[in-house]
Amino acid sequence: MNSFAASQQYFNRAADKLDLSPALRKVLSLPNREVTVQIPIEMDNGRIEVLTGYRVQHNRARGPMKGGLRYHPQVDIDEVRTLAALMTWKTAVVNIPYGGAKGGVTVDARSLSKREKERITRKFIDEIHMVIGPDIDIPAPDMGTGHEEMAWIMSQYSKYHGFNPGVVTGKPVEHYGIPGREEATGRGVGILTFKLLSRMGKKIAGTTIAIQGFGNVGSHTAKFLAEGDAKIVAISDHTGAYYRKNGIDVMDALRYAREHNGLLLGYDKGEALTNEALLELPVDVLIPAAIGGVITAENAPRIKAKMIIEAANDPIRFEADALLEAAGVTILPDVLANSGGVTVSYFEWAQNRQFYKWSLDRVRQELDRLLGTAFEEVWERSQQAKVSLRTSAFMIAIERVARATTLAGLT
Ligand code: NAD
C-alpha cells in the first residue's frame, strides 16, 4: 500500500465516527490540485541535472493553503500528497485560517552547494509561481530547506507578481521573517509534551526522553525540554545515535553540532547507538523528529516508551499505530504535536500583511495560547468519545473542514 493510501486510514477511521455524506467524504479525502514540474539546472561543475518538483494542494475550504517545501532524495508524489493532506488536518486542529498543501524536490540537499540550491529554488518557483500566492498557497521550510530558500522564493515570486513578503513564511528574521519561527516547531513539541505529561499525572523532572533527529525540530525540542528539567538521555541524526543514562548535556551537543557542520558524527559524550536502537530504548517518552515511517509493525513490539510524541510528520505506520495503542502507548499525533511551526508561520503571514512587527514575547505567548487550546480540545474529545488522541484530533479537524465546505456550498 502506498503512503497516501496508508495515511488515509487515519482519515477513514475518524470519518467513520462522523456523519459525512459520501460526496463530502470524497471531497475531503482527495487533493484539490497537484502540480509536477521539471527542473533542469546547471550544477557547479557544468553538468546539467534534470530534477522533479511537486506541489500538492489538498484543501482550501478554511483559507489559503499552507505547507512546507522538502528537499530530500525520497520525495515523490505519494509522499507529498500524504504530507499535503496532513497539513489540512493540522491547520484545522490548531484552528488557524488555512487549508493544506505541501511541496518537494527529489534531491539530496546535503550534496548541493548554496548556489545550486538557489538555482533549484528559483527555477522551481518559475514553474509554480502561478499556483502559489499569499491568498492561494504559502510555502514554508521543511526537511532540507530553511530561511535562505524562503528568501529566494519571496524574491523570485516578487519578480512575477510584485513585492509580496506574505507569499512564503520561514524567511530570515531581518528580511520580513518573525522572531521565534525557527524554534517554533521544537518549542511547540516541548510545550505539548509538558501538557501531556501533566494531563497524565506525571512529573517533568527526571522524565527520560529519547529524540531521533537533531535538525531544526529535534534540536529545539531537546533544548526546550532540557531547560524544563526533563532528562534527554538519547539524541541522534542520520549519522548515528548517542545515549547517556544520566542525561545528555544538550547545550554541549548543540555546540558540538555547530562546530561539526551541523552533525553529531564523532560525539563522544554518550554511548554510540544505531537510530533503530534509539527507538527501542527504555525511556518514558520517545520523540521521533526526523523522517517518516520509522516505527513499523516490525519494530513496534520492541518499543518501550509509554508516550510517543510525533514531532516528525507521519513517523508511525498505521499497523504500528494499532499495535502501540493496544499496548497502552499514548501517542500525541503529528497533526497536533508539530503544529507549532505552522502556527508561528501564520503569525509571520499576518505580520507581513499588516507590515507590523511582532516581538518574540508576543510570538511565544500566542503560540502557547493556541497550542494550549488545541491540546485541551483534543484531550477532551478523546475522553468523551473514548478514542485515541489521533482519532480525536482527526475528528475535530474533519468536522471543521466539513463545516467550512458546507457553509461555502459544495457546488
Ligand atoms: P532538518 O532537515 O532540519 O533535520 C532533520 C534531522 O533528521 C537531521 O538531524 C538529520 O540528520 C536527521 N535524519 C535524516 N534522516 C535520518 C534518518 N534516516 N535517521 C535518523 N535521523 C535522520 O528537518 P526538520 O525541519 O527538523 O524536520 C524534521 C521532521 O519534522 C520532518 O518530518 C518534518 O516534516 C517535520 N516538521 C518540520 C517542521 C519545521 O518547522 N521544520 C514543522 C513540522 C514538521
Side-chain angles (χ1 to χ4, degrees), residues 70 142-144 181 185 212-217 237-238 275 289-291 311-313 338:
R70 178 175 289 197
D142 192 71
M143 277 177 80
R181 172 60 185 88
T185 307
Q212 182 180 62
F214 207 60
N216 174 291
V217 179
D237 64 16
H238 68 281
N275 264 290
I291 52 167
N313 282 315
N338 66 34

